Amino acid sequence: MANNGSSQLVVPQAGAALDQMKYEVAQELGISLPSDGYYGNITTKDAGSIGGSITRKLVQIAEQSLAGR
């Protein structure tokens, strides 16, 4: 499978929810995100912390959803 370099959400409407989650997680971690949307000045460590925390939360939500079936 070829990688065309773009990421597309399976559910496009989820974009706003993921964006909101990014800001919530950053706030929980004490990381301030720039209001202008340019993330070039965020350290790799901080970006990884935000991404890792989002992934953990999404996995937890999925596990809870599957357990409820």
Side-chain angles (χ1 to χ4, degrees):
M1 182 183 216
N3 183 359
N4 63 6
S6 66
S7 296
Q8 293 183 354
L9 296 174
V10 175
V11 180
Q13 298 83 357
L18 289 172
D19 201 44
Q20 179 64 32
M21 185 179 279
K22 174 176 58 180
Y23 285 100
E24 290 173 6
V25 167
Q27 185 177 16
E28 289 172 10
L29 296 174
I31 300 169
S32 62
L33 295 178
S35 59
D36 63 1
Y38 176 71
Y39 298 108
N41 295 326
I42 292 181
T43 65
T44 303
K45 179 181 177 185
D46 287 346
S49 295
I50 293 169
S53 293
I54 289 172
T55 301
R56 279 188 291 282
K57 284 186 177 212
L58 291 174
V59 167
Q60 182 181 25
I61 291 167
E63 287 174 341
Q64 290 172 351
S65 175
L66 289 172
R69 285 189 178 178

